[in-house]
Amino acid sequence: MRKTFKIAAAGTLMLALASGAALADAGVWTRADKETGRRGAQQGIAVDLPGREEKRLAAASVDPATGRASKRAGTAAAEGTTGTFTARLTADGLNDTLTFRYARSGGRTVVLPSPDLGYELHPLPDGDALVEYAASIYRLDPEKRALSVFLKAQTGNYRKTDRGPVSGGSPKMIVWGQRASLSPDGAKLLYWTTRGMTASGSEDGENWVKDLRTGTEKKVYGAGYTVLGWDAKNRFYLDLGDGGIVQVDSGSGASAKLVSGYSVAAVSESHLLYQTSAGSLNVRDLSTGKSRTFRGGGLNILRSASASRAGEWFAVVNAPDRSSGVSTLMLIHAKTLKSRTIKEPAGSSIIGAAWQDGETLLVQSRNRTTAAESTYAVDMKEEMGE
């Protein structure tokens, strides 16, 4: 088994697979160790995430004159020391100093995601990270503590220094690159840009891909939309809202609509799960194109869905009764559609479920009375006896 950090110690959380079966009692949670607060993972290390109270205090500390908060709501290493360093960005007319939180792990510097510091962070396989800042994307070398240009300053007839059509008496700023998403093999980067606005006048933007081996950048799909994820064939999936879900080949740009109408969805390297109507959901095998329908286990309305990267499991937060605010956690096997339905911990609400990796599911909960937050870790291979 691949080594991963353990948020929960050796608990005895027994989750035998049973198709559509419901848990008889809530003892499943009391038999499992848990950690206080919200937890996540970044490049193999555990991180503490800001909770609701930290976010509230940070919002309350914002100076209305400057727009700056005196209290931060950022991440920290769950074990060991969290430090900070600064890096200068002197490109594209900028002369800014950015602050980064980091932890040391395995002899390397792991930069922690810190959107409260004014940027979004995307780790690269080589240990560097991409930083979304000032409407573009830059590369960070955490060992040298240096920022550098990542996207080309000109692609075809588009130039970073151009401005969009005039609105309200001034030209609109071009978004050169945002919403970065890395392909599973680490060879391609998908990003959203409005560089085409100079010619089209449209602010919807376009989806572009940068080949990290050759440096080539090109448009592969129009408009913005939410990126659901990638499959093993380097195709990415966009949530078009009421327009459904589209599959796009990152190399050729060929696209195909797989789902019509609004849906809640999640995608892995091998399967796509989506719900378009209450009481059922569909799981599509992305290699064969075949879809199957899942019902049972008290399934009603999906609040959220997430997939393990390899696609063996989906974790679904389900609302059996939309009006009550109560949820269940459903674990669904992508290939067999066998499932396990788990009620919320006593007195608590499930507020999130995300995969640390293909083997470990992190379940975040909040006590309904005290608002205290906790994180449970479910090791799928150990708990399912695989």
Side-chain angles (χ1 to χ4, degrees):
M1 180 187 298
R2 183 173 69 250
K3 279 186 138 182
T4 61
F5 77 81
K6 296 290 183 182
I7 289 180
T12 56
L13 180 60
M14 303 304 293
L15 297 177
L17 276 176
S19 180
L23 191 66
D25 58 51
V28 61
W29 299 108
T30 61
R31 294 196 302 271
D33 291 337
K34 65 179 180 180
E35 292 289 336
T36 300
R38 291 195 187 189
R39 290 274 175 111
Q42 176 77 350
Q43 292 178 272
I45 69 170
V47 295
D48 289 323
L49 305 175
R52 184 168 64 175
E53 182 62 14
E54 290 98 328
K55 293 177 181 178
R56 185 191 68 79
L57 291 173
S61 73
V62 174
D63 185 332
T66 63
R68 296 179 180 176
S70 60
K71 295 183 181 295
R72 311 304 309 187
T75 54
E79 297 178 3
T81 303
T82 300
T84 62
F85 67 82
T86 59
R88 298 283 293 174
L89 180 56
T90 56
D92 302 327
L94 299 171
N95 187 20
D96 296 345
T97 299
L98 301 186
T99 299
F100 297 93
R101 296 187 181 97
Y102 75 95
R104 293 289 295 176
S105 175
R108 61 194 175 100
T109 299
V110 177
V111 183
L112 306 180
S114 302
D116 64 317
L117 294 177
Y119 54 79
E120 294 291 335
L121 194 74
H122 306 277
L124 291 173
D126 63 3
D128 284 5
L130 297 180
V131 180
E132 291 187 25
Y133 179 76
S136 192
I137 301 173
Y138 300 92
R139 190 176 191 121
L140 171 69
D141 183 329
E143 303 301 336
K144 296 181 179 179
R145 302 184 176 184
L147 286 161
S148 59
V149 171
F150 176 71
L151 298 178
K152 295 179 181 295
Q154 180 167 344
T155 306
N157 295 324
Y158 301 119
R159 294 185 300 274
K160 189 178 288 188
T161 53
D162 288 346
R163 292 292 182 267
V166 172
S167 176
S170 60
K172 292 190 176 181
M173 181 174 157
I174 297 295
V175 174
W176 201 245
Q178 284 182 352
R179 308 179 193 173
S181 179
L182 194 67
S183 64
D185 62 4
K188 293 185 177 182
L189 185 88
L190 172 70
Y191 60 95
W192 175 76
T193 177
T194 63
R195 63 188 69 185
M197 183 169 63
T198 56
S200 67
S202 172
E203 297 180 59
D204 291 340
E206 301 164 341
N207 290 278
W208 282 52
V209 165
K210 182 180 181 75
D211 190 311
L212 302 186
R213 296 162 298 190
T214 65
T216 302
E217 298 174 13
K218 65 177 183 178
K219 173 186 172 181
V220 292
Y221 193 80
Y225 307 120
T226 300
V227 180
L228 292 171
W230 298 71
D231 67 20
K233 296 181 179 179
N234 270 356
R235 298 174 299 193
F236 60 88
Y237 296 77
L238 299 174
D239 182 349
L240 311 187
D242 291 343
I245 299 171
V246 67
Q247 174 195 78
V248 184
D249 187 288
S250 62
S252 67
S255 63
K257 181 176 285 191
L258 302 186
V259 180
S260 297
Y262 178 77
S263 66
V264 175
V267 67
S268 71
E269 291 184 12
S270 60
H271 290 82
L272 168 68
L273 174 146
Y274 59 93
Q275 181 180 54
T276 56
S277 60
S280 67
L281 55 81
N282 295 283
V283 177
R284 181 185 181 101
D285 187 317
L286 297 176
S287 62
T288 65
K290 294 182 178 180
S291 294
R292 291 168 297 154
T293 301
F294 173 89
R295 296 181 178 88
L299 177 67
N300 188 24
I301 300 292
L302 299 195
R303 297 192 191 278
S304 65
S306 59
S308 60
R309 181 166 175 172
E312 187 173 7
W313 293 99
F314 286 100
V316 172
V317 179
N318 169 55
D321 180 352
R322 182 189 295 185
S323 62
S324 71
V326 174
S327 298
T328 60
L329 174 66
M330 300 183 69
L331 304 177
I332 301 173
H333 193 273
K335 292 183 178 179
T336 65
L337 296 193
K338 289 183 178 180
S339 70
R340 185 65 168 169
T341 299
I342 306 171
K343 296 179 182 178
E344 291 179 312
S348 295
S349 299
I350 294 174
I351 56 176
W355 295 91
Q356 171 196 318
D357 52 32
E359 301 172 3
T360 310
L361 175 68
L362 306 181
V363 182
Q364 299 167 346
S365 67
R366 179 183 295 132
N367 186 282
R368 295 190 185 100
T369 303
T370 66
E373 295 173 343
S374 303
T375 300
Y376 298 85
V378 179
D379 187 311
M380 300 299 292
K381 283 189 175 293
E382 288 184 0
E383 305 306 339
M384 310 314 284
E386 296 183 5

